[in-house]
Amino acid sequence: AHRQKLQIKEQRKKKSEQKKKQKSQEGIDDDAVVEAAMADHRRKLQMQQQQMQQLSSKQKLDSSYHRSLDENASVASDIEAHQQVLLADPVMASAMKAQRHKLQQEEEKKKDEKKTQEEIDDDAVVAKAMEDHQQKLQMQQLSLKKKMDRSYQRSIYEDAVVSSDIEAHQQ
């Protein structure tokens, strides 16, 4: 009976220790879950902050763009109004026409100069190609002349050999 009581005490002690370990493990698991949830929450907050910053930047750019468009429209309107005033004055209208005509002439002159330069460049390329071709022809002629000279020399030699063979045969 005493042994049984000791065994029961021992079993109760083991169960108590197991429960303590289990609670301790559950506490650790709970802490890990809480940590993961906190980290996830921090990530979500950071993403939201980035999105808000991007949205704010986009809104600033849009606002700046629209303001720029408004300013450009205002400047264009001012220029047009100024031109209308100038065109209403006959002296200014003729001066503006003369200025436009002068600008057109300068543009045409620049185009002509550019065409002339391109033609000069084209002529130089053609001249260089012709010169190269002429040199190539001269080299080919020289090579052909050397071959003909060798062939002529060989035929003279062969004729001399045949003549000496004929002489030797006749004697």
Side-chain angles (χ1 to χ4, degrees):
H2 185 63
R3 251 195 222 173
Q4 275 185 330
K5 283 184 182 181
L6 283 176
Q7 283 179 346
I8 292 172
K9 274 187 176 181
E10 193 69 32
Q11 286 176 351
R12 285 182 185 163
K13 193 175 182 183
K14 284 182 182 178
K15 282 184 182 180
S16 172
E17 286 177 14
Q18 284 179 346
K19 284 183 180 179
K20 284 181 183 177
K21 284 183 182 178
Q22 189 177 3
K23 284 185 179 182
S24 173
Q25 186 62 37
E26 287 174 359
I28 291 173
D29 291 345
D30 288 346
D31 288 347
V33 168
V34 168
E35 278 290 321
M38 292 289 286
D40 189 46
H41 183 67
R42 280 193 295 272
R43 248 189 325 270
K44 286 179 182 177
L45 280 176
Q46 191 175 20
M47 285 176 53
Q48 286 177 344
Q49 286 176 343
Q50 286 176 347
Q51 288 173 346
M52 293 296 285
Q53 287 173 348
Q54 289 172 349
L55 182 63
S56 174
S57 293
K58 185 182 181 312
Q59 287 173 341
K60 285 179 185 176
L61 283 173
D62 287 347
S63 173
S64 174
Y65 175 74
H66 289 296
R67 188 172 40 253
S68 174
L69 285 179
D70 291 343
E71 289 172 2
N72 288 346
S74 174
V75 168
S77 173
D78 290 348
I79 289 172
E80 190 175 321
H82 185 66
Q83 284 179 340
Q84 293 301 323
V85 168
L86 291 176
L87 288 174
D89 182 4
V91 173
M92 288 304 290
S94 66
M96 287 175 63
K97 284 181 185 176
Q99 181 67 23
R100 259 189 247 125
H101 183 69
K102 182 179 175 185
L103 289 174
Q104 281 179 332
Q105 285 179 335
E106 288 175 5
E107 275 299 313
E108 288 175 11
K109 185 179 177 184
K110 286 180 185 177
K111 286 180 184 177
D112 289 344
E113 288 173 358
K114 186 177 178 183
K115 282 183 183 177
T116 303
Q117 185 60 42
E118 288 173 354
E119 289 171 357
I120 291 171
D121 292 345
D122 290 346
D123 290 347
V125 168
V126 169
K128 176 70 173 143
M130 287 178 67
E131 184 181 319
D132 291 346
H133 184 67
Q134 189 68 27
Q135 285 178 351
K136 193 182 277 185
L137 283 176
Q138 286 175 349
M139 294 296 285
Q140 287 175 347
Q141 286 175 343
L142 185 63
S143 173
L144 186 61
K145 185 177 184 303
K146 285 181 183 178
K147 286 180 184 177
M148 288 177 66
D149 285 348
R150 273 188 255 129
S151 175
Y152 179 72
Q153 292 295 328
R154 194 174 324 119
S155 73
I156 290 175
Y157 174 74
E158 288 172 355
D159 286 347
V161 168
V162 168
S163 295
S164 83
D165 284 350
I166 290 175
E167 263 182 51
H169 186 67
Q170 285 177 348
Q171 289 180 3

